[in-house]
């Protein structure tokens, strides 16, 4: 049987979630290479959209790939190059972010960024029915972050929750620690924090703890880092919930692509991996001790 | 003058062999990389030496390459510019906004493209002039000036894009795609422009008074000043030239991705400076070599390309391999020089 | 040339301050076409400052500069150059990484269309260098040239400009006798062509030979003005303000043990098979033409260059891989290149003075009080004249820099001193003192090597002279044998004396 | 000698006014920033001058600050080190792995902490020595060497962390938290260590032979060599010192969040270099000022702090404000210098 080549192109591990996603991609590739000896995988990570386009060009030009699994850095710039891959006859799986043009991909494993923000916002309103003062930490300035924040703002609109300030913590523990320290200096009373990401939540928690402040009732992170889920499960009042945005979706996508290439099972179509609220009740179901994230 | 003429040492011809090895350094490194790539692609079914791969590598080298040619002049004249990456992002953002906003009123697409190009070039010129002004007239350390403007342009593009992505109108994008992807077969426009800029740059560096002045200023500003060289004007010109070339690079960049975002051009400055140094230009100024820079750029692009040919290294370690190769490329060059 | 012709360039009542210090007081000089005017004076008297004012590098704080009888204020040197006034600086003013041709034409490149006309520039550079009997190829990098060659390139650069007024600040300081002759021939040629020339040198013989008129400066004031028919002795006295006689102290016969024995020293590409002995109390002279490899041999000896060969100090064989190793066995080398290798121009006198002997001044921290005391001593002993105590060394006059460099070397208290061109740019009064000092060192039982291109210096100081040619020792002279004719013959390869 | 005494210059009669303005430059910039912060915090209820805010700012300045002190020596001696940020990340990763792996076998927590510290210092020392070796013995341009090692360490930590985050065992983390957060009230350990390193650094730079040698080498390497200075050893020592200080910074960093990831220490190198230059050290070497560096670090931290205390600027524009202030801080300094 002839070997087929699967290209996997993802953003580099520049923050916690992306790191998890890198891990699951690598893990899936290693596993599937064992399972399907007739498949060859090329995994490339890119630091920005241009580099990702280069990676995809290389895969097409030098490896003659039969399938591409891509988690686009940004939708617009990647649309053309991915379309070129599709035109070459290769199978295309798009993960997380959709392309700007419909119908290019054979399989779409979608995350839901506005939904992530909405679920987070709804949890905030449910926790603070009478309103309250919160601060928000945002990620790296990107479309993803914009969509999440918009979803969040829509959800808390009219609930009486007042956003004191927003700053970019860049999905980074150190940056969010610094920003939170300064928020604590600036506001004598903060009821809650939407950290929007578990890495940032860790920085925020450290800052609150160091300041010894007890006005902050809870911190809502996101993306489902295992340590944070464990704390939710164990009933830590500071971390009453989490919102999923599983980095493992890349693994699922790679696996489905492999199945699609090697069998006649119908795997094309669209799978949306919605963002789910994790509370102490269902935390156990989302706790994967072996995951690095 | 008695018999001195007879006994004075003959016009000494420098022993060329050593010099040549120094010159050969970057070329050897490039050759080694090409061999490595060919070797690797022989072990799997990949096609490293195909026209399409070569075309890809050369086309995408063009952005950094064009910028690095300008950087060669700045560094030769004893300066530095850390702002080029974010300058490129900012100019790309401006061009996209300009073209989008005119798309409604101006009908003719070629006209629009020309306006876009004009915008890119004038923005580049202005940005370069600002850096140049702060360095020459305000006499602030180039490192600080361009670190500052690097932050400023990066912020401005983030702000223009509202944290997200600025995208060109879809119809426009299709119209301008050929600027990046078109050309004569594998000889795409970016390759042609890069080659043109490189040849012209080499000519300017080696054959014009301007090139000489750059080297003179970089080696000893006082000497240049005492020799009637208008130091400020030449130094200013290097920054303006670099700004212009960033504009040119942006003209090629926008058609490729049709968008600009806060991550556009991140770390291009380091890559451009690295290419310049790998090529044999002296970081402290006084000696510059445009063709070396071109080789430096190719070396850097090839490393990425070759790493995509193989799964042998974990993608996590790509950066390490890159680092090792960059150091090795320069060792090759320096080892020979050590002989002198 | 009569007074009927207005001076192409003149100074009237020129003052100049640096900060609170006034270094020029009411200087008046006028240059005439077709005449060589010599400006002489002690180190720090203000010769270079005067010249820089004439050529637009500095502006006067008082008085005026007259061009063809009309007052001019040069905003910068470019304007002076446009008026046909060109200066050769005391210190090299060359871009080291650039080639000879690039330097000669810097700022005035010949073009063909937008491009440089390299071929013509190269040819013209070669012509200019030929005129100076300098064999350097126009494509050589200045960095790779010896000091005299660099000076020739400077001169070529000035000649290229076909100036009306040529101002030369100690152009001969780094040249050997033969090259000086070539240069003076060129000066004659320019004078005949009607160029007005201002010239300064501490070698009064040259002044006597070439100048038509002389102006003497002392402490920033003109103390004598007149035709050049005065004797060298009279010039010296006018400069120093006291009677200078007996430039060279009496030689004493070397006593002492062999302090240094060098056998078959090879410095690749520069010197081969250099063997000699040096006794305590001896002053050993090294003579030779440019490129004869004296400097390189000495640099090899102290570990500044890779070398092979056997070296014994006080009878013990030693390995010297760096100047540190050399210092450990009591051997110190004073470089001929004070600007590039000798002094940190952007630092003060104190830092420079103690750089080499810093370990002697520091335990855990540097003892600045002791450094200050050392500086006091050095200033007194070597007559270093600085406008202010914390002046940057780059702002010292050339001769005072050289004195500081000597002081720095002596501070290391060496047993074996190798001095390369010890009195380059030093005025005649101080020269006398330095010669006395060298004599004293020898008398104290130290071993001294003097490498000098000034033949009189070698003859006057050394008890034994080795002559080098093309990297090899071609002869040794002792006692009465030491004279100009023999040294000349040897260094040009005309004879061979028994070593 | 005869008239020497008469003409010998008087001791110390420097014109203080001009010098002082140059010296005052960075201090003025810092003062202006503090005023600005106080002004802003007066308009809202934030507490810029509170002990806790000051303590926060100083503590978090400590990492960059300690590294920047080392960088001052490297730059003064004419070198450069771009690798410090990723070196810190790599060392942090190593320390965490070491402590985690020993946590099972070694019982005593203080013992473990000591082992961790030892690991950090020795790793820093080794990393610095590698940079130093490549720069001095292999004679490769420092820019290239440290650009290479920057990529290498960044890759290695990504690889160690499998792309994710390396976290310290929870019990250990609690045990070592006081290293960052503890101290004497607002005077936390990082502040104490930073102050200690800064004072010691200033002392070494100004009062020891080593400091002198650094300046001499940076000012003119040849002169230093001809003056029997062991140029290679001194230069090597600057890199090793910097590596050690990166180790020290890491010891303070790990206890804060107990983790290291591929993003740890990103851009620290630029920040450290910027602090050094803002402080008045000359980028091309030859003159260094440790206290200036400290002020430079404080200026940079304060900018971030003040921007977080106000909504006046869009967060997207933070970078732009930072850029402007960095340039202004140096203008302040240079304008005065222009007077000389
Ligand atoms: N830029 C400067 N700042 C301060 N002092 C200066 C500066 N330039 C020159 N001086 C001082 O002015 C005085 C005159 O120096 P000048 O160079 O004119 O002497 P000179 O006659 O050429 O001596 P030499 O024979 O040693 O070359 C010296 O004391 C020198 O230190
Ligand atoms: N074999 C050679 N090949 C190339 N260059 C040489 C060779 N020999 C000498 N040179 C060059 O010539 C110069 C020799 O000058 P050097 O200073 O050694 O001569 P010197 O005898 O000390 O005379 P002076 O001190 O008067 O210049 C050096 O700069 C060196 O570059
Ligand atoms: Mg002088
Ligand atoms: Mg010599």
């Amino acid at each position: 049987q002839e070997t087929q080549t699967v290209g996997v192109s993802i953003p580099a591990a520049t923050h916690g979630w992306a790191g998890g996603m890198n891990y699951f991609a690598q893990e899936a590739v290693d596993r599937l290479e064992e399972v399907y000896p007739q498949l060859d995988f090329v995994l490339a990570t890119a630091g920005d959209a241009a580099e990702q386009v280069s990676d995809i060009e290389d895969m097409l030009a030098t490896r003659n790939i039969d399938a591409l699994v891509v988690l686009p850095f940004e939708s617009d710039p990647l649309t053309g190059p991915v379309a070129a891959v599709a035109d070459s006859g290769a199978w295309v799986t798009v993960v997380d972010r959709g392309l700007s043009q419909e119908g290019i991909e054979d399989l779409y494993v979608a995350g839901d960024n506005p939904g992530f923000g909405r679920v987070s916002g709804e949890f905030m309103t449910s926790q603070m029915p009478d309103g309250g003062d919160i601060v928000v930490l945002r990620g790296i300035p990107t479309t993803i972050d914009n969509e999440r924040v918009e979803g969040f703002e829509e959800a808390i609109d009219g609930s009486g929750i007042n956003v004191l300030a927003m700053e970019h913590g860049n999905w980074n523990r150190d940056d969010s620690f610094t920003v939170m320290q300064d928020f604590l200096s600036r506001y004598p009373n903060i009821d809650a924090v939407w950290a929007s990401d578990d890495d940032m939540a860790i920085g925020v928690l450290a800052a609150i703890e160091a300041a010894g402040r007890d006005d902050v009732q809870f911190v809502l992170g996101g993306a489902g880092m295992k340590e944070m889920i464990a704390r939710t499960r164990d009933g830590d009042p500071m971390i009453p919930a989490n919102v999923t945005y599983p980095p493992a979706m890349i693994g699922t996508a790679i696996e489905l692509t492999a199945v699609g290439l090697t069998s006649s099972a119908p795997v094309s179509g669209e799978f949306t991996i919605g963002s789910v609220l994790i509370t102490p009740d269902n935390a156990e179901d989302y706790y994967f001790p072996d995951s690095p994230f | 003058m008695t018999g001195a003429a007879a006994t004075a040492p003959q016009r000494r011809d420098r022993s060329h062999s050593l010099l040549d090895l120094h010159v050969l350094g970057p070329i050897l490194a490039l050759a080694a990389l090409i061999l490595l790539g060919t070797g690797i692609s022989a072990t799997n079914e990949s096609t490293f030496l195909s026209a399409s791969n070569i075309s890809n590598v050369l086309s995408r080298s063009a952005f950094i390459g064009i910028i690095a040619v300008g950087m060669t002049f700045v560094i030769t004249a004893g300066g530095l510019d850390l702002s080029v990456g974010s300058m490129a992002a900012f100019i790309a953002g401006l061009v996209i906004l300009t073209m989008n906003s005119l798309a409604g009123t101006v009908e003719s697409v070629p006209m629009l493209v020309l306006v876009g190009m004009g915008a890119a070039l004038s923005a580049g010129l202005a940005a370069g002039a600002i850096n140049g002004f702060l360095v020459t007239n305000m006499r602030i350390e180039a490192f600080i000036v361009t670190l500052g403007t690097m932050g400023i342009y990066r912020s401005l593009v983030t702000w223009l894009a509202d944290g997200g992505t600025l995208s060109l109108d879809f119809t426009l994008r299709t119209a301008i795609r050929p600027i990046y992807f078109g050309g004569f077969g594998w000889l795409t426009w970016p390759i042609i422009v890069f080659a043109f800029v490189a040849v012209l740059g080499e000519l300017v560096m080696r054959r014009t008074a301007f090139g000489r002045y750059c080297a003179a200023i970089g080696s000893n500003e006082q000497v240049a000043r005492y020799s009637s060289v208008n130091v400020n004007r030449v130094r200013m010109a290097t920054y303006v030239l670099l700004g212009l070339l960033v504009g040119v690079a942006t003209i090629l960049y926008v058609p490729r991705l049709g968008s600009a975002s806060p991550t556009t051009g991140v770390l291009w400055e380091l890559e451009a400076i690295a290419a310049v140094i790998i090529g044999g230009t002296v970081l402290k100024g006084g000696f510059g070599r445009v063709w070396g820079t071109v080789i430096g750029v190719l070396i850097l692009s090839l490393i990425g390309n070759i790493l995509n040919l193989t799964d042998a290294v974990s993608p996590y370690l790509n950066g390490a391999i890159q680092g090792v190769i960059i150091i090795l490329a320069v060792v090759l060059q320096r080892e020979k020089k050590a002989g002198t | 040339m009569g007074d009927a012709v207005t001076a192409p360039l003149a100074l009237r009542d020129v003052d100049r301050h640096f900060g609170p210090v006034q270094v020029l007081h009411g200087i008046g000089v006028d240059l005439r076409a077709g005449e060589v005017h010599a400006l002489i004076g002690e180190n720090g008297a203000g010769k270079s400052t005067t010249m820089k004012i004439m050529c637009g590098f500095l502006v006067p704080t008082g008085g005026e500069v007259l061009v063809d009888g009309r007052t001019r204020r040069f905003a910068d040197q470019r304007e002076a150059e446009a008026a046909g006034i060109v200066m050769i600086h005391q210190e090299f003013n060359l871009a080291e990484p650039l080639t000879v041709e690039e330097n000669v034409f810097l700022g005035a490149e010949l073009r063909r269309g937008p491009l440089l006309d390299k071929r013509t520039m190269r040819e013209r550079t070669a012509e200019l260098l030929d005129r100076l009997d300098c064999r350097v190829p126009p494509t050589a990098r200045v960095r790779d040239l010896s000091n005299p060659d660099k000076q020739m390139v400077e001169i070529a650069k000035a000649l290229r400009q076909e100036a009306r007024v040529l101002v030369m600040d100690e152009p001969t300081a780094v040249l050997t006798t033969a090259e000086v002759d070539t240069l003076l021939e060129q000066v004659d040629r320019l004078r005949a062509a009607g160029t007005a020339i201002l010239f300064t040198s501490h070698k009064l013989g040259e002044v006597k030979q070439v100048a038509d008129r002389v102006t003497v400066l002392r402490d920033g004031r003109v103390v004598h003005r007149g035709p050049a028919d005065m004797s060298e002795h009279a010039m010296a006295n006018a400069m120093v303000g006291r009677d200078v006689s007996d430039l060279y102290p009496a030689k004493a016969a070397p006593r002492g043990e062999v302090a240094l024995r060098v056998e078959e020293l090879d410095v690749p590409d520069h010197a081969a098979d250099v063997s000699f002995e040096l006794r305590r109390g001896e002053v050993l002279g090294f003579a030779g033409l440019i490129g004869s490899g004296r400097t390189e041999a000495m640099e090899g000896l102290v570990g500044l260059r890779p070398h092979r060969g056997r070296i014994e100090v006080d009878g013990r064989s030693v390995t010297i891989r760096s100047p540190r190793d050399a210092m450990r066995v009591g051997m110190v080398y004073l470089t001929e290149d004070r600007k590039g290798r000798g002094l940190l121009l952007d630092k003060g006198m104190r830092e420079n003075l103690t750089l080499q002997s810093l370990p002697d001044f520091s335990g855990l921290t540097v003892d600045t009080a002791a450094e200050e005391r050392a500086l006091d001593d050095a200033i007194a002993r070597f007559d270093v004249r600085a406008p202010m105590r914390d002046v940057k060394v780059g702002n010292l006059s050339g001769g005072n820099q050289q004195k500081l460099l000597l002081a720095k070397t002596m501070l290391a208290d060496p047993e074996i001193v190798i001095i390369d061109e010890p009195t380059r740019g030093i005025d005649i009064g101080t020269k006398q003192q330095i010669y006395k000092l060298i004599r004293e060192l020898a008398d104290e039982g130290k071993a001294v090597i003097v490498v000098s291109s000034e033949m009189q210096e070698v003859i006057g100081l050394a008890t034994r002279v080795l002559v080098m040619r093309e990297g090899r020792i071609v002869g040794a002279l002792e006692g009465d044998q030491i004279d100009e004719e023999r040294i000349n013959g040897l260094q040009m390869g005309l004879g061979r004396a028994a070593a």
Side-chain angles (χ1 to χ4, degrees), chain C residues 386-399:
Chain C
M388 342 162 222
R389 195 178 172 91
D390 59 354
V391 67
K392 280 190 180 160
V393 164
N395 289 337
L396 284 180
S397 83

Side-chain angles (χ1 to χ4, degrees), chain A residues 210-281:
Chain A
R213 287 266 292 258
D214 46 17
D215 48 322
V216 184
Q217 295 155 30
F218 68 93
V219 175
L220 178 61
M225 184 188 294
K226 71 175 183 214
E227 290 88 354
M228 298 300 270
I229 292 182
R231 285 170 77 171
T232 302
R233 180 195 61 195
D234 301 341
D236 185 334
M238 281 300 274
I239 309 150
N242 208 313
V243 181
T244 60
Y245 201 85
M249 69 174 79
I250 188 74
T252 314
I254 296 173
E255 181 143 24
L256 285 173
T257 306
V259 170
L261 274 188
T262 51
S263 71
S264 51
V267 293
S268 58
E270 183 170 331
F271 298 78
T272 302
I273 300 186
S275 287
V276 180
L277 185 72
I278 302 175
T279 58
D281 303 333

Side-chain angles (χ1 to χ4, degrees), chain C residues 146-148 290-291 293-296 333 336 420-421 424 451 453:
Chain C
S146 66
N147 267 336
I290 310 167
R294 294 164 299 165
T295 296
E296 278 82 354
Y333 169 75
E336 62 178 337
D420 204 345
E421 311 290 357
R424 180 169 282 173
V451 178
S453 303

Side-chain angles (χ1 to χ4, degrees), chain C residues 9 35 45 96 122 128 143 166 198 246 278 287 295 351 387 395 407 447 464 471:
Chain C
L9 182 61
E35 197 178 83
E96 299 260 326
R122 246 173 233 166
L128 287 166
R143 192 179 37 213
L166 180 58
L198 181 64
D246 291 337
L278 175 64
T295 296
E351 287 94 326
N395 289 337
R464 203 152 56 93

